[in-house]
Amino acid sequence: MKCPICDTNENWHSLDYLRQRRDLGFIICKTCGFTTYRRRSEEELKKFYERSDYNIIRRFAGTADFETKTRKKMNHRMFLGPYLADHRNLQIIDVGCSTGYFLELCRDEYGHQRVCGTEWNPAHARYGRHRLELDIRTNIEDFGPQRYDLICIEHVLEHIAKPDEFLLNLRDNYLAGDGVIACAVPIWYDFIGSPSVTAHEAGGFESILPEGHINVFSLRSFANLLAKCGLHVVQENYSYYGYRVLLEKTPPITDFSAEAWDMQEQSLVRQKAAFEAFVAGRFADAHRHYHRFPLALVKDIDQQQKSPAERITGITQLIAEMPNVDVFHWYLARVYNLLGDYGNAITNYSRAIRLKPNDPIHYWELAEILFKLEEFQRAAALYEKLLVVEPKCQFVPLTAGQPTALDRLGQCYANLPDDIPDACGTTT
Ligand SMILES: [Zn+2]
């Protein structure tokens, strides 16, 4: 088997010993450090996604799926919102669009009418066609020859057997000359260092390397893939749901920068040990095994019950090392809030929101400070956003014993004078 990054043939080292199942064909390229699963063919993968077991687990088309996609939309608005707002009537395709929730956002919130998507899972596709009235087909070829201004491949490349061929096909045959590709991939090689993924979300070392995710990217191997496929990063974000980029065409570069495969292997070994320590509540051990482990670092500081001043110093140092981690800013904001230093609390909550725009607690805690300070207009805007992120806050308090966000919103508007613009920007 040829490596899709460096094109070397059969120079692999087996990593199966790291997994509970030892027959997965989990391998690393000894030339460039790229990691993947050998045994998955394109056909096998297609069958895997056509099955609907996963939908049943996620209560597909039910509340859990709605919640997941509501949160994902916040990331799209934050990252692609300015691009979508600055352009008119773009031709957009979402490859691997699931139910088409992103296309719905492009159409209904930004006015782009020419939207379509592809999806291998028939249940997802049908939901999008019927409920969201979208044109969703199986493959991009099904739409015929067509150039797109925006091609979205959100969390797709980790599922594709030959990601280089897949990307080159999109670039050469479907992307308009001045078009862009919006792409996101998980960086499993830095999994526990991933800014916005919590250990609780992951459920353990085994589940961070699911078999459906056949390509295990590091930031470097992903950059190598983009260079090989003649795509250049014009915008990036590595703070929510993996690494997210906006790409334009550029001449392909065949020169790649290799990673030492044995160092990469050690990084997985250390992450595994760190995970085990974390689950056992040994947070200092956890980040000793793998230093870029935000949750363990914060929990360690918290567990040591240091003074507020020491906590502020500790977290500030961590922010200098890893500025893209929302949980550091959130923790710092809470310490400042307890000290009554609302200015610094507000600044850090705002940063946490920019770094992770889909976490309800960020909006709630910041809004509560502004409410207390009687800044009702700013507070109202945040409660409104909270209701978008977490619609059930209309009826249920986010934290037990507190009012709902809708109750608070009512109190804010009751306190706003009639002659100023409301939180939506219109004049009342
Ligand atoms: Zn390679």
Side-chain angles (χ1 to χ4, degrees):
M1 186 178 118
K2 205 159 86 167
C3 171
I5 305 292
C6 69
D7 289 328
T8 308
N9 243 319
E10 291 307 332
N11 193 25
W12 302 98
H13 168 74
S14 173
L15 295 172
D16 268 343
Y17 76 94
L18 287 169
R19 305 296 310 272
Q20 279 167 11
R21 267 189 67 187
R22 303 291 164 92
D23 62 343
L24 294 169
F26 186 37
I27 46 173
I28 184 164
C29 172
K30 291 202 276 183
T31 308
C32 74
F34 179 66
T35 305
T36 188
Y37 288 87
R38 180 194 290 275
R39 72 178 184 87
R40 294 278 185 193
S41 71
E42 201 74 50
E43 268 319 293
E44 228 186 321
L45 283 169
K46 205 161 178 176
K47 286 205 185 81
F48 178 81
Y49 294 113
E50 280 171 0
R51 284 193 345 240
S52 291
D53 317 17
Y54 185 55
N55 299 334
I56 293 162
I57 298 165
R58 286 254 297 257
R59 282 183 285 150
F60 171 72
T63 309
D65 193 70
F66 173 78
E67 283 181 344
T68 304
K69 280 157 186 168
T70 299
R71 303 264 172 97
K72 285 185 175 176
K73 278 184 178 177
M74 292 306 286
N75 296 338
H76 283 299
R77 288 187 191 102
M78 184 72 91
F79 187 72
L80 277 175
Y83 180 84
L84 292 170
D86 284 351
H87 294 80
R88 289 277 161 270
N89 202 23
L90 294 171
Q91 182 93 42
I92 299 172
I93 189 163
D94 187 358
V95 176
C97 69
S98 181
T99 56
Y101 65 100
F102 170 67
L103 297 167
E104 181 198 27
L105 178 147
C106 292
R107 181 190 64 192
D108 297 351
E109 294 181 27
Y110 296 92
H112 300 286
Q113 298 300 320
R114 299 182 299 155
V115 299
C116 62
T118 71
E119 176 54 48
W120 282 353
N121 184 289
H124 283 101
R126 280 193 201 110
Y127 181 88
R129 282 196 290 265
H130 288 290
R131 182 144 198 256
L132 306 179
E133 298 181 316
L134 289 162
D135 189 355
I136 298 175
R137 305 181 194 182
T138 310
N139 295 301
I140 195 167
E141 293 80 11
D142 301 337
F143 292 99
Q146 178 73 258
R147 294 275 171 179
Y148 298 91
D149 304 306
L150 171 61
I151 299 177
C152 182
I153 39 172
E154 169 100 350
H155 290 273
V156 167
L157 291 174
E158 66 272 25
H159 301 271
I160 301 283
K162 292 175 181 166
D164 53 336
E165 288 177 15
F166 175 85
L167 261 185
L168 276 167
N169 180 40
L170 290 182
R171 175 197 186 272
D172 295 342
N173 301 318
Y174 295 100
L175 187 64
D178 57 352
V180 292
I181 294 179
C183 176
V185 292
I187 303 295
W188 296 125
Y189 250 113
D190 183 30
F191 173 72
I192 55 180
S194 293
S196 259
V197 182
T198 66
H200 304 296
E201 280 171 338
F205 182 79
E206 279 295 310
S207 69
I208 70 171
L209 298 164
E211 290 171 60
H213 291 172
I214 59 165
N215 300 316
V216 180
F217 290 107
S218 66
L219 283 173
R220 175 112 45 102
S221 67
F222 184 59
N224 285 337
L225 174 68
L226 298 179
K228 181 185 180 184
C229 297
L231 292 163
H232 156 76
V233 175
V234 289
Q235 185 186 323
E236 65 178 344
N237 182 293
Y238 185 34
S239 77
Y240 43 82
Y241 266 71
Y243 182 57
R244 192 173 294 261
V245 285
L246 203 59
L247 305 163
E248 279 175 0
K249 278 186 203 184
T250 190
I253 303 167
T254 46
D255 212 14
F256 63 90
S257 83
E259 279 171 312
W261 67 271
D262 47 349
M263 299 285 285
Q264 290 284 88
E265 181 183 29
Q266 279 312 304
S267 156
L268 283 183
V269 172
R270 285 188 286 111
Q271 287 194 66
K272 189 175 181 180
F275 228 118
E276 284 162 5
F278 184 87
V279 171
R282 292 182 283 108
F283 303 124
D285 271 354
H287 67 77
R288 213 168 290 132
H289 283 299
Y290 192 82
H291 180 67
R292 281 180 55 85
F293 194 169
L295 221 54
L297 290 159
V298 165
K299 282 189 177 284
D300 187 28
I301 286 177
D302 205 49
Q303 204 172 42
Q304 290 178 38
Q305 300 193 327
K306 293 180 173 179
S307 70
E310 286 168 326
R311 286 170 197 235
I312 289 170
T313 308
I315 294 284
T316 305
Q317 280 167 359
L318 293 174
I319 290 172
E321 281 178 53
M322 288 181 260
N324 58 343
V325 176
D326 68 289
V327 74
F328 294 157
H329 293 281
W330 171 74
Y331 189 86
L332 197 53
R334 287 194 137 189
V335 177
Y336 280 126
N337 192 12
L338 285 173
L339 290 173
D341 182 346
Y342 299 125
N344 273 316
I346 290 167
T347 302
N348 279 286
Y349 274 123
S350 305
R351 286 182 186 146
I353 288 172
R354 272 201 302 281
L355 292 170
K356 190 178 186 188
N358 62 10
D359 195 326
I361 200 75
H362 296 160
Y363 294 97
W364 171 256
E365 292 181 0
L366 176 53
E368 284 291 282
I369 293 177
L370 294 167
F371 185 82
K372 190 157 70 181
L373 297 175
E374 300 189 357
E375 293 210 31
F376 297 116
Q377 200 180 348
R378 287 172 70 196
L382 284 158
Y383 291 122
E384 294 279 15
K385 281 189 179 155
L386 172 57
L387 290 173
V388 174
V389 182
E390 191 68 276
K392 69 182 173 210
C393 284
Q394 291 176 88
F395 314 109
V396 185
L398 191 66
T399 45
Q402 300 285 315
T404 66
L406 196 57
D407 287 336
R408 277 286 196 248
L409 202 49
Q411 292 167 339
C412 285
Y413 286 129
N415 279 289
L416 283 175
D418 290 331
D419 57 347
I420 62 159
D422 66 18
C424 301
T426 52
T427 303
T428 51

